[in-house]
Amino acid sequence: MGAIQSYGLRLERKRWRYRAMRKSRELSPLVNRTAYIREADLLVFCTLRNEAKRLPYFLEYYRNLGINHFLFVDNDSTDGSADYLAEQPDSSVWRTNASYKRSRFGMDWINWLLMKYGNGHWCLTVDPDEFLIYPFCDTRPLRALTDWLDASSIKSFGAMLLDMYPKGPIGTQPYRAGQDPLEIAMWFDSGNYTIERNHKYGNLWIQGGPRARVFFPDEPYHAPALNKVPLVKWDDRYAYISSTHSLLPRGLNLIYDEWGGEKSSGVLLHTKFLDTFTHKAEEELQRGEHYAGSREYKMYAERGQVSPDLWCTWSEKYINWRQLEILGLMSKGNWA
Amino acid sequence: MSLGVILLIHNALDRVEQVARHWATHGVPVVIHADSRMPNSRYQMLIKGLSDLENIRFSARHKCEWGTWGLVAASQSAAEVMLQDFPAVRHVYLASGSCLPLRPVEELVQYLAERPNTDFIESATLADVPWTIGGLDHERFTLRFPFSWKRNRRLFDLCVDFQRRFRMHRQMPDGLIPHMGSQWWCLTRQTLTAILQDPRRGIYERFFRQVWIPDESYFQTLVRLYSRDIQSRSLTLSKFDFQGKPHIFYDDHLQLLRRSDCFVARKIWPYADRLYNAFLTPQPDALNRTEPNPGKIDRIFAKAVERRTQGRTGLYMQSRFPNPDWENGFTASEYSMFEGFSELFEDFESWLGRLTGARVHGHLFAPERVHYEGAVKVINGALSDSAALRDRNPRAFLTNMIWNTRGERQCFQVGPADHIQEVEWDIAKDPNAQICVITGAWAVPLFRSNLDFSEIRRTAAELQRRESRHLDVLRSPYAKARIHIWSLAEFVEAPMEPLQAIIGEIGQTDKRRLTEAPKMVNLTGFAQFLQNLKNQGMHPYLTGDFPNTLEEREKPRKPRKPYLVK
């Protein structure tokens, strides 16, 4: 990479950071408990809108992994999500009713919070429907992983998005607050992912899974990206570019080995397809606040499937991380 | 008591206290050396916490940066305290703050008492071991290293390059032979005092201060001068990864560590409560254990290193995406690609499946959709039959399919009209591929079709052009697949021999002769059809020299051997 290109990326990074600072004015703190964050605490950053039903389990799951503090941006929820979060002793909440789209789908807000509170911490940036799975997650807390990453001088940890879905039309089984969503959405596609390299930022671009198979079989180029780098030892010079798909400086995107070996990686189980999905899809189509003109949601509506069935005979039923590793969706890498 | 333990510590003080207390209450004197970079307040707390035990000492503090002399200086001063304050000590065991005794202290004491003059220290001559990481082996001793590798990597490298360029070499003092090994040793009082009280100690020290990672070579080299009986192994179980950094043990390693029968293990994760509880409380089921046996642990960690460096062949995923030609193999297992066979034989696919037990697909790369076996819409791994999804990334489509079905051989058909151009090079270069081609077989469906002759002529010309280009790839010197090419004429004349060879290569049937041949389509009038094409100016040269009349076809001719392109 030439000096000019490298300088260009530096300018771009600064631009995202400047933009995040500018957009931070849209946030107003509802409750700020960040003073309780101690050195080396593990933090979760999350933007949400009307997710009251999902939050109890979300918090439980990540508390069990050993997250010490949650930082939420509530984008104009009307179902009491913000108030519920404000009651949690380990959460800080910011509210905004500004445009999700114009804050680059929440990334400007998150970039600012990361910049302000994430410096020197291992920071996990996820959505309320994403659950991190990493090697040995059933026997070792998240701190075991971050300590090992620290000892290995690794600064970022990749976890691809794995779309989970129920058998039968989405929405037949109602989701109760506090329930493990994997009890309903327990199926996934194990081997239909395609990978390309993005030479500008150095990240991989992964597509595939049930959404490509069912919603985008004719225009796969537009299928959603599944590559993610959600766990980063944050430094206040860093910036996420587009969602958590990639970030700058570009070295952080090198979560894959280029010489045949396997680096350690995890999976984000994406439990989007619950009964809440249909309602959400309709609403998001109205608001048009999602990526690429809410193309994804348009596609769902266009396919005329108010409650599509993503299940097929070769869908795989989720068991544990070892299954995902055997299937080749994630890897222990060098961690044993 | 004949054993004393030195602990080199720098963090996780509550664990240090716990382990030191364990040794001390079992009658083993402990000398603790704390890194001087540790905050004094925490150091004082540790001293206070252990003040009730009278067989614990603290030695003068040195700065212990990885790979520097400080670690040796720390062991030296701690050893001096140990030898002076505890005259009964016969063996001195060097351990770190993250070391955990796995077996009852009495067993270790007894083990050492039975070997009163043995020094346990891994000490191998530099020339004979491939341990060193990063290309510095003998140069560790012959160059000087004034800069820290951890903090000033660039200066470190520049300095090394500079000395290499100007050939600035040092000599080992007194013709010492450099030895290396794990820095966790257990030495006898005799050997240790000989090293520490040697009149030439100052000379050796001056030399080793400039060596890179002296803690892995100072004692390991000098022990060779004085020891009466060296067991060149460490009593501490410690595994290293491919970058030379120690593997860490967690709660889920409990059973492995138990069964290893090692005396001490490193490095333990400070929050591994289960391990600390299990090994620091009296173990009821005292087995009759003898020699350490870390075989299983060795295998697990060796596998981890292999996974990190080699990876799983044929897998492309978020954390394994090799550069072209660095894949260790393009695909996960063997597969076969047939060109022209299902055109020439009516029931080729079912015949092949029956005979070999392999999964025989139709044209996977057909323009309209993916023709899986049994015309299913999805196969293993939820791989779709959409042509657009496949054409988005044909390489990924093929590698995914082979990966998803590993354990079962895949066969598929290909024709010149298929969308294979993007992967044909990969397949041709893949040693896992078996490629069998009957050139010109595309003429058969045209011959049997009900199209206008001008249409047939145009299609034939196009297909011939495409197949010819494809054959160029297969005949390239870079092709590594097992490739067999016959012309249609050759094949029709004696089909059994090549079929036998193909089946034999797939190798899932017994070696007997084929009893059942696939049914060839009726070719009566085909020669005339080819002649008509020729008459229209379109010479189907890829079909080979087809006999002009049926009668001529009956005449015996000497069959040509199929040729193998490799």
Side-chain angles (χ1 to χ4, degrees):
Chain A
M1 193 166 72
I4 295 175
Q5 209 184 345
S6 152
Y7 190 69
L9 288 175
R10 183 188 169 88
L11 288 182
E12 181 180 341
R13 180 165 58 80
K14 299 211 167 211
R15 203 170 76 235
W16 295 134
R17 282 165 41 81
Y18 174 70
R19 193 187 157 99
M21 286 184 236
R22 199 155 45 83
K23 288 282 174 185
S24 73
R25 281 179 294 176
E26 295 173 354
L27 298 178
S28 57
L30 182 65
V31 49
N32 188 338
R33 298 193 182 90
T34 50
Y36 296 107
I37 298 178
R38 284 158 308 158
E39 193 192 336
D41 268 2
L42 303 173
L43 311 180
V44 156
F45 293 78
C46 176
T47 315
L48 65 116
R49 173 185 163 79
N50 289 344
E51 297 283 12
K53 241 184 183 180
R54 287 180 184 272
L55 289 174
Y57 185 78
F58 177 82
L59 289 167
E60 182 193 332
Y61 183 85
Y62 283 109
R63 278 175 189 149
N64 283 342
L65 288 192
I67 295 294
N68 304 97
H69 200 89
F70 296 84
L71 296 94
F72 290 102
V73 175
D74 180 89
N75 184 202
D76 207 13
S77 288
T78 51
D79 64 349
S81 296
D83 300 328
Y84 173 78
L85 291 172
E87 289 164 16
Q88 307 301 317
D90 52 358
S91 301
S92 298
V93 188
W94 284 260
R95 292 207 68 159
T96 176
N97 45 23
S99 165
Y100 181 63
K101 189 169 162 185
R102 296 184 60 186
S103 77
R104 295 192 309 125
F105 317 104
M107 251 13 257
D108 290 332
W109 303 327
I110 293 293
N111 265 340
W112 180 71
L113 289 181
L114 281 165
M115 212 188 303
K116 186 134 192 236
Y117 302 106
N119 193 18
H121 292 275
W122 279 98
C123 298
L124 180 65
T125 307
V126 287
D127 286 344
D129 56 1
E130 294 171 354
F131 297 95
L132 178 70
I133 299 286
Y134 53 88
F136 305 100
C137 59
D138 46 1
T139 49
R140 302 178 195 172
L142 189 59
R143 183 167 303 280
L145 175 66
T146 56
D147 279 358
W148 178 77
L149 293 169
D150 273 332
S152 314
S153 315
I154 302 171
K155 293 189 171 64
S156 56
F157 182 77
M160 167 186 144
L161 205 59
L162 188 67
D163 289 328
M164 309 296 292
Y165 48 85
K167 187 174 178 178
I170 293 166
T172 11
Q173 299 171 69
Y175 175 71
R176 300 184 322 274
Q179 190 186 7
D180 179 357
L182 293 178
E183 288 171 13
I184 299 169
M186 57 170 79
W187 301 85
F188 63 93
D189 285 12
S190 68
N192 56 9
Y193 300 92
T194 60
I195 308 180
E196 272 168 78
R197 201 185 310 237
N198 178 327
H199 287 280
K200 184 173 176 198
Y201 299 119
N203 62 297
L204 296 182
W205 178 24
I206 308 180
Q207 293 177 301
R211 284 188 279 175
R213 172 165 59 81
V214 177
F215 299 129
F216 294 87
D218 303 322
E219 36 176 334
Y221 186 82
H222 294 306
L226 303 174
N227 47 297
K228 290 232 166 188
V229 191
L231 184 61
V232 178
K233 176 79 177 271
W234 203 260
D235 184 289
D236 56 12
R237 291 164 304 160
Y238 298 170
Y240 274 116
I241 302 170
S242 140
S243 177
T244 51
H245 297 312
S246 52
L247 64 169
L248 284 173
R250 74 207 287 272
L252 297 170
N253 294 325
L254 287 177
I255 52 167
Y256 54 96
D257 188 276
E258 299 168 275
W259 311 107
E262 293 174 31
K263 288 191 178 177
S264 295
S265 55
V267 153
L268 281 179
L269 300 180
H270 190 210
T271 59
K272 183 193 189 104
F273 299 108
L274 297 178
D275 60 339
T276 47
F277 168 74
T278 334
H279 176 69
K280 197 131 190 151
E282 281 164 15
E283 187 191 324
E284 295 306 334
L285 202 55
Q286 292 279 317
R287 292 197 332 137
E289 284 277 323
H290 273 266
Y291 184 67
S294 303
R295 180 163 48 212
E296 200 181 325
Y297 288 104
K298 274 184 198 147
M299 212 57 165
Y300 302 150
E302 211 173 276
R303 299 242 141 204
Q305 287 153 318
V306 192
S307 53
D309 185 1
L310 298 174
W311 191 86
C312 73
T313 40
W314 286 99
S315 294
E316 203 79 39
K317 192 172 177 179
Y318 177 72
I319 303 169
N320 56 20
W321 69 267
R322 283 182 195 274
Q323 168 201 28
L324 299 183
E325 142 131 290
I326 289 166
L327 289 170
L329 291 165
M330 59 185 270
S331 178
K332 288 184 283 193
N334 196 26
W335 203 28
Chain B
M1 184 53 75
S2 63
L3 171 69
V5 171
I6 297 174
L7 290 179
L8 304 184
I9 63 163
H10 66 282
N11 64 1
L13 295 191
D14 44 341
R15 291 303 184 195
V16 170
E17 190 179 331
Q18 204 179 346
V19 173
R21 187 168 289 279
H22 178 80
W23 287 114
T25 50
H26 284 79
V28 174
V30 177
V31 176
I32 296 178
H33 173 275
D35 188 344
S36 67
R37 289 175 302 174
M38 197 167 79
N40 205 38
S41 56
R42 293 169 64 194
Y43 184 54
Q44 293 306 328
M45 262 171 57
L46 178 72
I47 294 180
K48 210 170 139 212
L50 290 169
S51 56
D52 58 320
L53 296 160
E54 91 283 3
N55 55 351
I56 290 190
R57 298 284 184 279
F58 291 85
S59 68
R61 293 168 71 184
H62 300 265
K63 190 172 156 189
C64 297
E65 194 178 341
W66 181 86
T68 61
W69 173 255
L71 284 160
V72 181
S75 340
Q76 284 178 333
S77 46
E80 277 162 356
V81 173
M82 174 69 76
L83 296 169
Q84 196 174 8
D85 286 14
F86 302 102
V89 164
R90 193 175 182 99
H91 274 98
V92 177
Y93 198 118
L94 181 67
S96 83
S98 52
C99 286
L100 180 65
L102 302 184
R103 284 169 65 171
V105 174
E106 300 77 39
E107 286 188 27
L108 175 57
V109 170
Q110 195 192 340
Y111 185 87
L112 293 172
E114 285 163 11
R115 297 156 180 82
N117 294 317
T118 307
D119 294 300
F120 294 91
I121 180 166
E122 198 173 56
S123 160
T125 44
L126 200 53
D128 307 332
V129 287
W131 290 334
T132 48
I133 310 257
L136 287 169
D137 37 51
H138 67 280
E139 287 176 326
R140 286 179 177 213
F141 296 93
T142 57
L143 304 184
R144 292 162 201 269
F145 300 91
F147 299 105
S148 159
W149 187 77
K150 283 249 154 126
R151 285 178 293 125
N152 296 323
R153 186 81 53 95
R154 190 167 291 177
L155 274 177
F156 180 94
D157 288 342
L158 275 176
C159 183
V160 167
D161 285 346
F162 180 84
Q163 295 177 68
R164 277 180 185 159
R165 173 162 305 174
F166 293 98
R167 298 178 193 281
M168 296 167 64
H169 287 316
R170 302 194 294 158
Q171 292 294 321
M172 292 291 287
D174 297 355
L176 285 178
I177 301 160
H179 282 71
M180 275 176 44
S182 161
Q183 71 258 53
W184 310 111
W185 42 250
C186 175
L187 298 179
T188 57
R189 172 178 285 268
Q190 266 190 17
T191 308
L192 205 49
T193 44
I195 293 174
L196 294 175
Q197 293 162 10
D198 190 319
R200 300 181 64 78
R201 175 176 159 184
I203 297 170
Y204 298 146
E205 255 187 50
R206 256 198 303 288
F207 178 80
F208 276 98
R209 267 172 197 279
Q210 300 276 339
V211 167
W212 193 43
I213 322 185
D215 50 321
E216 284 182 1
S217 56
Y218 176 77
F219 288 102
Q220 288 72 5
T221 304
L222 293 183
V223 76
R224 292 281 169 187
L225 295 179
Y226 311 109
S227 176
R228 283 189 287 168
D229 177 16
I230 291 183
Q231 281 277 330
S232 180
R233 63 190 165 99
S234 173
L235 290 177
T236 304
L237 170 68
S238 179
K239 305 303 300 173
F240 291 91
D241 70 6
F242 75 117
Q243 288 165 320
K245 126 185 106 44
H247 279 296
I248 303 171
F249 293 108
Y250 301 90
D251 282 347
D252 46 45
H253 291 122
L254 178 61
Q255 292 309 322
L256 276 175
L257 290 174
R258 273 239 167 90
R259 268 177 276 151
S260 75
D261 284 351
C262 290
F263 289 107
V264 176
R266 136 167 243 278
K267 195 173 172 169
I268 312 290
W269 190 48
Y271 301 98
D273 295 336
R274 240 178 100 201
L275 293 186
Y276 278 97
N277 289 341
F279 290 114
L280 294 188
T281 49
Q283 295 165 49
D285 54 338
L287 303 164
N288 188 18
R289 297 177 293 193
T290 48
E291 283 294 322
N293 175 26
K296 184 127 194 241
I297 289 190
D298 281 347
R299 277 195 296 279
I300 283 186
F301 288 105
K303 244 183 144 173
V305 171
E306 191 186 312
R307 199 183 312 113
R308 179 64 186 83
T309 52
Q310 308 280 302
R312 290 171 274 183
T313 301
L315 174 64
Y316 301 79
M317 46 96 79
Q318 54 171 341
S319 54
R320 179 183 202 264
F321 195 67
N323 290 329
D325 299 326
W326 280 91
E327 295 101 339
N328 294 326
F330 174 60
T331 49
S333 65
E334 296 193 340
Y335 57 98
S336 310
M337 177 163 113
F338 291 95
E339 307 185 27
F341 286 75
S342 53
E343 283 74 13
L344 184 61
F345 299 104
E346 281 173 4
D347 57 347
F348 179 71
E349 290 164 30
S350 56
W351 172 82
L352 184 65
R354 221 168 32 244
L355 223 64
T356 59
R359 192 131 155 217
V360 186
H361 304 281
H363 287 256
L364 287 185
F365 293 91
E368 68 286 355
R369 61 174 281 236
V370 184
H371 294 280
Y372 293 123
E373 183 189 42
V376 292
K377 291 188 79 66
V378 276
I379 59 157
N380 308 44
L383 209 54
S384 155
D385 70 340
S386 149
L389 279 174
R390 176 200 63 203
D391 292 343
R392 170 90 177 87
N393 193 336
R395 294 188 78 204
F397 169 80
L398 183 66
T399 51
N400 274 339
M401 191 190 72
I402 303 293
W403 172 259
N404 293 339
T405 57
R406 52 202 192 282
E408 177 193 50
R409 193 188 183 97
Q410 306 296 307
C411 304
F412 57 93
Q413 320 299 321
V414 162
D418 291 354
H419 289 181
I420 192 144
Q421 289 72 20
E422 264 190 61
V423 274
E424 61 184 350
W425 269 110
D426 294 305
I427 297 176
K429 291 195 304 192
D430 183 5
N432 272 337
Q434 178 199 29
I435 305 176
C436 307
V437 188
I438 305 177
T439 64
W442 39 264
V444 177
L446 287 179
F447 158 64
R448 304 175 74 207
S449 73
N450 190 24
L451 294 171
D452 286 353
F453 199 77
S454 62
E455 175 75 28
I456 288 179
R457 185 201 175 284
R458 204 174 53 246
T459 317
E462 168 70 12
L463 293 179
Q464 174 151 279
R465 205 169 46 74
R466 294 173 67 119
E467 183 166 83
S468 163
R469 219 171 36 207
H470 175 63
L471 290 173
D472 288 345
V473 172
L474 299 186
R475 288 180 175 134
S476 130
Y478 299 107
K480 293 281 181 292
R482 274 160 298 136
I483 300 172
H484 310 275
I485 300 173
W486 301 270
S487 74
L488 181 62
E490 278 175 291
F491 202 92
V492 164
E493 219 165 63
M496 284 315 270
E497 211 172 316
L499 284 175
Q500 178 86 49
I502 292 166
I503 299 291
E505 219 173 70
I506 293 178
Q508 275 158 348
T509 46
D510 46 22
K511 291 273 182 280
R512 278 175 297 157
R513 302 253 344 138
L514 288 181
T515 49
E516 181 197 0
K519 186 162 179 278
M520 202 183 288
V521 299
N522 185 1
L523 289 177
T524 314
F526 184 63
Q528 188 55 50
F529 168 78
L530 294 181
Q531 188 56 48
N532 290 349
L533 278 174
K534 284 185 196 165
N535 295 346
Q536 296 257 343
M538 183 359 245
H539 278 245
Y541 62 94
L542 287 178
T543 56
D545 219 359
F546 226 84
N548 231 338
T549 62
L550 266 181
E551 295 81 77
E552 220 175 306
R553 213 191 123 212
E554 303 300 338
K555 274 198 264 172
R557 281 173 56 188
K558 197 166 167 251
R560 276 163 60 195
K561 281 230 168 93
Y563 53 93
L564 179 76
V565 182
K566 187 101 182 148

